[in-house]
Amino acid sequence: MENNLPSQYSPKEIEDKWYRFWEESGFFHSEPSSSKKPYTIVIPPPNVTGVLHVGHALNNIIQDILIRWKRMQGFNVLWMPGTDHAGIATQNVVERELSSKNIKRQDIGRERFIEEVWKWKQQYGSTIIQQLKKLGSSCDWQRERFTMDEGLSAAVKETFVRLYRKGLIYKGKYMINWCPRCRTALADDEVEHEEHEGHLWHIKYSFKENPQQHIVVATTRPETMLGDVAVAVNPKDDRYKDFIGKTLLLPILGRELPVVADDFVSPSFGTGAVKVTPAHDPNDFAIGMRHALPSIVVMDEDGTMNINAGDYNGQDRFECRNALVEDLKLRKHIDRIIPHKHSVGHCYRCKTVIEPYFSNQWFVKMRPLADAAILASLNKSVTFYPERWEKVYLSWLDNVRDWCISRQIWWGHRIPAWYCDDCGAISVSTEDINQCTKCNSPRLKQDEDVLDTWFSSALWPFSTLGWPKETPELAYYYPTSTLVTDRGIIYFWVARMVMMGIEMVKQVPFSHVYIHGTILDEQGRKMSKSMGNGIDPLLMIDRYGADAVRFSIIILTTEGQDVKLSESKFEMGRNFTNKLWNAARFIFMNLNEENPEEIAYDITTLPFEDKWIHNRLNTTIEECTASLDQYKFNDAAMKMYDFTWHTFCDWYLEMVKHRLNNANNRIDKKNAQTTLAIIFGKTLHLLHPFIPFITEELWNNLTRIAQHNKIALQIGVTASCSLVTSWWPIFSKQFADDTSEHIMPVLQDIIRAIRNIRCKMDIKDKQRLKAVISYPRDFVYDLHEHTNLLKRMANLEELDMGIELQKPSHSASEVIGNLQVFVLLAGILDPLAEKDRQLKHLKQLENHLTIIRRKLNNENFAAKAPPQIVETERKKEDELQVQIEKVKHILLNIG
RNA sequence: GGGCGAUUAGCUCAAUCGGCUAGAGCACUUGCCUUACAAGCAAGGGGUUAUAGGUUCGAGUCCUAUAUCGCCCACCA
């Protein structure tokens, strides 16, 4: 049988080969079935414009681990994939592309523009899907959906109409957030507030009757003064009491402004006098309403000043600000300018400064929906991991305001509402209509606006399963199991899915929400395109392999904590996959037989080290499964790493080498081979959800080689051709072995001690030594049967052991618990080095004893601590005393 | 202004219900290309758990305050 694996693992061909095989075999595809339990995850749909970044990578690695693990556990697993049409983002991309050809979207009109967007989607929309495949994501690609496809569009219309009829969607004129660049309204949470070093301009407004006298108002946005209709002061403010009802003149424009009294104004901020611009500020709008003031719009939708701005007509809002301030200075209207830090809202898509804008928009009435979502969390229908995010979710829902859902862009779900030219009624319908539902007039116009992208995202867990149709998929997979996402979209997405799921399907969309951390750069900063501090996961996959990328990221990610990432971190995963690869090379090489024979394998009669490794793996399986159950992915990964590398490779492989080379004992050799194959096979199963490619490759090699050499790989289970559809290892009592669990660590300590002496005495590894082990009369285990193992692992030519043996002359010694190990070093013993070692050990022991005695000498300790703890401390004290005596005795002999 | 998280070895992070001498990976020291692996092997060194108090028999872990960093929320011009 061939074993021509190279000594370094190269992932490239292997990854592509297996991914193709998995997909072609239909392993990722799921159909509703009555016999198996479902486990379902809906992917957070990436934007069609998206390119895979490390954040996506982390998000999808976690989902894939859960999905692969549950699939192996026997669930009928569905990972529902798809992409989001990302209204503004996608429209921006296509607009930019057109503008490079000197075309504006207005030039070609709505219909043709949307055609262009679809064309763009055909061409580039699957980029991120291809990249997710590179990572190994085992989504059911046959079910891939898109938020703008027919079925999902139907779900959007159905939802809109139902909410409208229930009075939960309404249209009205309100102050909203306006992005002058995107020329659309935005929801409150689509505005990013940023601390900004601005100014507080103090401007003098003179009285009409007495131009010598003035009131100073303070503003951060002087350009809006062109729309001023009043000046407000607090009615209790003595400074201004007498001026209430008087008239001021707006500088430059000369407009007459009444001085009004309003409780909103805080006397302690600024000058205590506020200019009132109802058309351009939400607070001023409220003041305007209270005092029946007019509203003067001075700015257009694109942020340029309009005709009401007088000479500034046509200027950009910031250009106007500068010019206006200069003019005010010239006319001596500026009282003073002070630096002022304040937060400024920016568009979350294009970073343009947001304008408060008064306009007619569609809203979702949130209170009733939010209350249901709050209840779902309080009664644990939806549980957050880590649980602290529940508070974040709840506090948003507690304070939620109505959601502005209309967007003045073209790419998206057009609002299914029609206006009648004759009777003015609004008709709302899931189907396109050509008659007014009230007066039957055919003179109808559909609303020009589209819905917020998050409106369709909110329906994702059920719209992808066929809702509003009552499909078998919806019945079987809904509600889904776990949602895996980033804390950044708890409001945007998670809360809204819960609300819509409850309202539309009458069931929460998922029972668990796992919120993972954010990946940061080496210095703890967010990764961003503009900073150029991002790490490209595809480049990392290219350099280190997808498995290494997956494993490295997962082992760094503790539950919900942010991760500082740098390229060097991937070496860890690469080294691990390489280690696994080389362990496989060794195993495969040693399973080969020219004339393989079948020999029965019985765990109860196996050698000590075989029982030990079975037991260790058994425990590891139990612990890893428990960690995964609690979403502690890094914990599971670390345990697997430790078992694979430091238990299996470092110790077990070294222990069995001689058996594999011993042709004289056929049965023992076969047992060693079989144990190797079984343990390695199970380890590959355990690791598969984390590192799917290399494990699949090695498993396939292993099954082939094992079959050829007549080695039974499973005990009581049938082998599978692929790990994807194979079984998840389970803890089994038949592998438990207390004896080896206790003795092996003792043997390892002895071996380490001898190696340590070797090292400290500068003795070559190759030189074989003589050693003696002395143990007390009451020592419970018989070490004699491990003589050969000890001799091989410590490279000894002779090993004697017995009860209370004397220290041989010219020997180095080591106290290990209640045993003593002596290494005979006639002629090579360095007494100074030996004394050094013993003194160091003595100091350690004494320090430890001090700590123990401090506890035991405390009366309250014995009185109040649990008896077992007191007991163990007592035992430790005794043991330490004995050990210290022994070390002291040794030191005395050295002199 | 409010809320949340973090602060542990030189670096990046663990540590279950408060209980074993606080553990890994990287880096470091010493010796090894030993027939799976130098992306490796063997043996080591390295800690006042941010600071100050408190609760407790016992605190990295619980409480209070302080400091520093980060994130989120908030209409005071």
Side-chain angles (χ1 to χ4, degrees), chain A residues 44-50 82-87 90 121 145-148 411 453-454 456-458 460 493:
Chain A
N47 290 354
V48 268
T49 53
T83 47
D84 193 298
H85 69 281
T90 308
K121 197 253 173 188
R145 304 304 297 266
F146 179 52
T147 48
M148 283 284 279
W411 176 239
T453 303
W454 294 103
S456 54
S457 315
W460 185 251
W493 195 45

Side-chain angles (χ1 to χ4, degrees), chain A residues 679-744:
Chain A
I679 298 289
F680 192 61
K682 278 201 205 176
T683 306
L684 293 175
H685 279 71
L686 262 194
L687 286 165
H688 181 257
F690 292 78
I691 46 175
F693 296 107
I694 187 174
T695 48
E696 179 79 321
E697 169 75 12
L698 296 178
W699 171 251
N700 277 270
N701 280 310
L702 179 66
T703 48
R704 203 178 60 236
I705 293 167
Q707 193 182 23
H708 183 266
N709 292 286
K710 299 186 178 164
I711 293 167
L713 269 179
Q714 270 83 27
I715 302 174
V717 210
T718 32
S720 172
C721 68
S722 168
L723 286 179
V724 176
T725 52
S726 189
W727 35 269
W728 179 251
I730 49 169
F731 173 84
S732 166
K733 271 188 197 142
Q734 65 171 322
F735 299 115
D737 187 67
D738 283 349
T739 314
S740 66
E741 182 74 4
H742 284 98
I743 304 182
M744 188 59 92

Side-chain angles (χ1 to χ4, degrees), chain A residues 744-780:
Chain A
M744 188 59 92
V746 176
L747 300 181
Q748 287 172 325
D749 279 347
I750 295 170
I751 292 159
R752 256 191 293 264
I754 296 169
R755 286 172 178 172
N756 180 242
I757 289 169
R758 194 185 274 285
C759 196
K760 288 280 146 60
M761 298 297 155
D762 220 2
I763 301 163
K764 292 267 177 265
D765 290 351
K766 279 176 191 150
Q767 188 175 341
R768 303 183 74 196
L769 300 168
K770 293 180 185 173
V772 173
I773 297 172
S774 163
Y775 48 88
R777 203 159 291 281
D778 58 352
F779 193 68
V780 287

